[in-house]
Amino acid sequence: MARETFSVVEVNPAHRFARLRPESGGALLHAGLYPEEESPEPQLQLREGDRVEGQRRGQSVADWGWVSRTEPPPDLVERMGELLAKLEGFELRVPATAYDLAEHHWRRSRADPLHQELLAQLPTFFDWELSHPYEDGALLDRLQAAMQPYLPGFEVAPQAGRSAFRLEPGGHDVPAPEGSREAPATTFEPLLLQVNGLLEGAGAPVRWVPTEDDWILSPPGLAELLVLHGVLGPRRE
């Protein structure tokens, strides 16, 4: 089947489709916002002004690939360059250019290199790729290991028959409220608030900072920077 060239004239993220105009003329057609998952194309979202090549199938375009991509806004490229420079101040280095990061951010990349690189360098409390937090038998062990450089001898264990955790040293009992599979952070929030108090008392430079569905262990200024630039998603209050 012959392939044709199309121009993207409208993008509708809410309904996950774009409208394409055949460059040979004719009515507008629809296409998915992202390349097909098995496609070698980068998993980036279409934007108005892009040109793509694909196969016409009824009223839609399938198996499309880019001919050319419109460039991300210059101010976003500049902002990502500033972010990279600031990250180096925290001894975090990301092997990507400001342009690449801007394009991934602007096109809502499914494989955001900045997010992936930072999460590889910053400890998180949950390990969503491993298992759901309620089924993660290593969760408290990871917490203990992460705290040793800042709180030597730190231990945490669930209290038998009670919805609580016991922290050592100090013998603190911390409640573990009932959460849900959709919002497991509720169960662990008092625990990490208490741990942050211990970190502050010890003069540690890091805290467990809440993000959209997790916590990261980082200097608070770094976490605020990542939220400001949309890397970690909105903060939970």
Side-chain angles (χ1 to χ4, degrees), residues 38-193:
E38 62 273 16
S39 168
E41 295 284 346
Q43 289 294 309
L44 302 173
Q45 181 176 289
L46 287 171
R47 282 285 189 170
E48 292 179 15
D50 289 352
R51 298 176 65 237
V52 301
E53 184 183 70
Q55 294 180 345
R56 187 191 299 244
R57 293 181 182 170
Q59 300 300 311
S60 64
V61 176
D63 190 27
W64 60 261
W66 275 283
V67 174
S68 63
R69 293 200 292 267
T70 190
E71 296 187 351
D75 62 333
L76 180 58
V77 178
E78 182 179 356
R79 183 157 66 90
M80 286 299 168
E82 294 172 353
L83 174 60
L84 287 174
K86 291 175 181 177
L87 290 176
E88 288 192 2
F90 287 98
E91 299 184 352
L92 291 172
R93 289 171 174 78
V94 179
T97 67
Y99 184 94
D100 288 341
L101 296 183
E103 184 173 48
H104 278 270
H105 186 83
W106 188 53
R107 292 178 178 274
R108 302 180 183 273
S109 169
R110 285 176 167 167
D112 188 337
L114 177 57
H115 189 269
Q116 291 183 350
E117 189 67 31
L118 292 174
L119 291 187
Q121 299 183 51
L122 295 172
T124 60
F125 183 62
F126 295 147
D127 188 343
W128 288 103
E129 292 187 3
L130 177 67
S131 61
H132 188 278
Y134 286 165
E135 296 155 2
D136 185 353
L139 188 148
L140 297 181
D141 290 338
R142 289 199 310 274
L143 174 60
Q144 290 183 165
M147 291 298 92
Q148 295 310 309
Y150 312 105
L151 301 170
F154 173 87
E155 296 181 2
V156 57
Q159 289 283 73
R162 298 177 52 201
S163 297
F165 299 101
R166 170 63 64 90
L167 298 187
E168 298 289 351
H172 302 285
D173 281 352
V174 181
E178 183 178 356
S180 68
R181 291 193 65 84
E182 293 73 29
T186 301
T187 300
F188 302 99
E189 187 168 10
L191 171 63
L192 292 186
L193 286 174

